[in-house]
Amino acid sequence: MLRFQTRKVVVVLLVLLFGCGFALPNLFSPETRKAIEANAPSWIPRILLPIHAVVLGLDLQGGSHVLLEIDRAELVRSQVLQLRDDVRRILRDERVGIQGGIGTTPRGVQLRVAEAADRARLLPKLRELAQPVGTLGAFGPSGNSTLDIVEQPDGLIQVSVTEAGANERVRRAVEQAMEVLRRRVDALGTTEPNIQRQGLDRILVQVPGLQDPQRLKDILGQTAKLQFRMVAEGQGGDVDMLPSQDAGGSLVPVERRVIVEGEDLIDAQPAFDSRTSQPIVNFRFNIRGAQRFGQATTENLGRPLAIVLDNKVISSPVIQSPITGGSGQISGNFTVESVNNLAILLRAGALPAKMTIVEERTVGPGLGADSIQAGKMATLIATLLVILYMIGTYGMFGLIASIALLVHVCLIFGLMSVLGATMTLPGIAGIVLTIGTAVDSNVLIYERMREESQQGRSLISALEAGFQRAFATIVDSNVTMLIAALALFALGSGPVRGFAVVFILGILTTVITAVTLTRMLIALWYRWAKPKSLPF
């Protein structure tokens, strides 16, 4: 058990060297890390360079905190309009006549069908529109339907969106909005944003390091519904009067017919016009969008094309020639920042509904500096007290356990740097906690050695028995802690997950340092000192 071949010693030392080496970038400034990356030879993998530091969370480095709420009323209105269109389609397909027209209510539609035979054919088709909601957990009961269909004796049929159906629509919209918001925030170049659901219809966005909350609000608040429509030649017919950025906010007539929508965009990048040096956005369509855009520009030469974003005309260039390549540019009275923001919005896609900012906070870096300093002090004091206790109780073996403890802390920071994990204030608490629990394994091993020695076994036999018989207990205790930590990570959010990440890494590194490294150091000590009894 204590016979370590030279090859095994080299492998263990290399693993520990690389693990602790990954923690070194945390001692360098960002400028130093950038200089190392810029001057390093190209043949060295970037993962091996000391350029990846632990990412500080919002509570440590400051940043922006925004709570958004999705427009539930707008979503229900869109459900009702979609329901009305579906009912019209069924009436047309089934050739069913109705008295009057299809009326709308705040939660559905109603129609009157005089003939009983027509109602018998219509009702099964209407019921096909209803979908089971399934299990909604805390957001609603299980097994409900999205629609409620009621038939009156006088032939009136009411089709309404149920509360469970509205909740299901909101839930799906929030999930879609979270993905869109994540793409938008990631495009800002920030690290480890926290985007999570709050209740049924709210989304929390925390962006560490971003001290400009207004830019974050501009990025998150826009629906980003992009449309390409022709500017109307008059104000009659199917025309919308929309404010134009080119005309200083004045209303211009725009045809309601949409040529291409933003969902057909596959890329949008900020750039500068080669002729005017003005900021622009270069865009590219998919095949369907390119075909529609090419046909529209071919048929409407000399006419202005309205580029509409969230019901505002941001640009209306005149079509000089057919654009059949599937790409083009958006120009206007843009600044460099507004062009970057517009490109981010177009690439990330449109939100499913309007989002309202209900809470915003800017966390200053001063709080983070105080927290980091307090965390450093707590970590140093905890480490020092544990080391003093172990050396005072177990002598030389306590010193070996203390060396393993220091390596354990370095490995945690090394793993967090490589994985890009975020260090939060609860994460610092997790490190302090793992410092205390990391030596538990050594205490189990050493006390087992003491028991074996007191029973009259030789020193080498007691040393081997200490590791062999304590190993199963060490594994069991760490596995149970790991299960609890994984549950915290899976079910928790924000600070709880920050604590769980550090604790999980601490458990994994404990097995390496408290067992493998400690056993190797004791084996080397035994060969060098050739003791006759335990040093404690």
Side-chain angles (χ1 to χ4, degrees), residues 142-451:
S142 175
N144 289 332
S145 173
T146 56
L147 297 178
D148 182 28
I149 302 175
V150 178
E151 179 187 7
Q152 302 291 346
D154 59 354
L156 182 67
I157 299 176
Q158 296 176 325
V159 185
S160 304
V161 177
T162 64
E163 186 67 19
N167 288 342
E168 176 68 6
R169 179 69 182 92
V170 171
R171 184 190 65 81
R172 288 189 283 109
V174 168
E175 290 180 352
Q176 180 183 347
M178 288 176 63
E179 292 302 318
V180 173
L181 294 176
R182 192 179 306 279
R183 290 196 296 267
R184 292 184 183 182
V185 174
D186 288 344
L188 289 173
T190 59
T191 307
E192 291 295 325
N194 177 36
I195 301 175
Q196 62 186 39
R197 180 197 298 271
Q198 292 280 318
L200 173 62
D201 55 358
R202 293 187 175 186
I203 300 175
L204 174 65
V205 180
Q206 294 178 325
V207 185
L210 182 64
Q211 300 296 329
D212 185 3
Q214 185 59 47
R215 187 184 183 196
L216 180 62
K217 290 191 296 182
D218 292 341
I219 291 295
L220 300 182
Q222 290 196 39
T223 310
K225 184 177 182 181
L226 180 71
Q227 296 175 332
F228 291 84
R229 297 153 66 176
M230 300 304 303
V231 175
E233 298 178 348
Q235 298 186 8
D238 291 336
V239 171
D240 290 326
M241 300 301 295
L242 302 178
S244 173
Q245 183 172 299
D246 290 343
S250 300
L251 298 178
V252 297
V254 178
E255 293 182 1
R256 291 181 181 174
R257 180 176 64 90
V258 178
I259 299 172
V260 188
E261 291 188 310
E263 61 187 26
D264 290 318
L265 279 177
I266 59 176
D267 192 24
Q269 296 293 337
F272 290 93
D273 193 307
S274 59
R275 297 170 300 173
T276 64
S277 299
Q278 294 297 315
I280 60 173
V281 175
N282 289 326
F283 61 86
R284 186 158 50 94
F285 289 118
N286 56 22
I287 295 177
R288 183 183 65 175
Q291 291 174 346
R292 293 180 177 178
F293 195 67
Q295 181 180 357
T297 54
T298 301
E299 297 175 351
N300 295 278
L301 291 176
R303 293 185 59 187
L305 175 70
I307 303 173
V308 183
L309 180 67
D310 290 342
N311 291 324
K312 295 180 181 178
V313 180
I314 60 174
S315 181
S316 53
V318 176
I319 302 174
Q320 303 291 348
S321 60
I323 305 175
T324 57
S327 61
Q329 67 181 36
I330 301 174
S331 60
N333 298 321
F334 297 131
T335 63
V336 173
E337 182 175 347
S338 63
V339 161
N340 287 328
N341 291 346
L342 178 58
I344 290 172
L345 293 172
L346 298 183
R347 287 199 306 271
L351 290 171
K354 180 181 178 182
M355 305 290 296
T356 303
I357 297 175
V358 296
E359 178 185 337
E360 60 174 291
R361 294 203 306 266
T362 301
V363 181
L367 174 62
D370 294 341
S371 301
I372 293 174
Q373 190 61 35
K376 286 181 179 179
M377 185 61 63
T379 304
L380 290 175
I381 293 176
T383 303
L384 180 61
L385 292 178
V386 170
I387 289 176
L388 291 177
Y389 175 81
M390 292 299 292
I391 294 177
T393 304
Y394 298 106
M396 176 58 68
F397 279 20
L399 177 61
I400 292 175
S402 301
I403 295 173
L405 176 63
L406 296 177
V407 174
H408 160 76
V409 176
C410 287
L411 288 179
I412 291 178
F413 280 96
L415 287 172
M416 293 188 69
S417 300
V418 172
L419 298 175
T422 301
M423 175 64 75
T424 61
L425 191 58
I428 296 178
I431 291 180
V432 176
L433 179 60
T434 59
I435 289 174
T437 58
V439 294
D440 286 350
S441 300
N442 297 112
V443 172
L444 289 173
I445 294 171
Y446 295 165
E447 290 301 323
R448 188 68 191 186
M449 290 178 180
R450 194 200 302 269
E451 292 176 3

Side-chain angles (χ1 to χ4, degrees), residues 96-113:
V96 173
I98 60 176
Q99 294 179 349
I102 300 178
T104 59
T105 64
R107 293 297 291 266
V109 299
Q110 58 185 15
L111 60 156
R112 191 179 301 276
V113 181

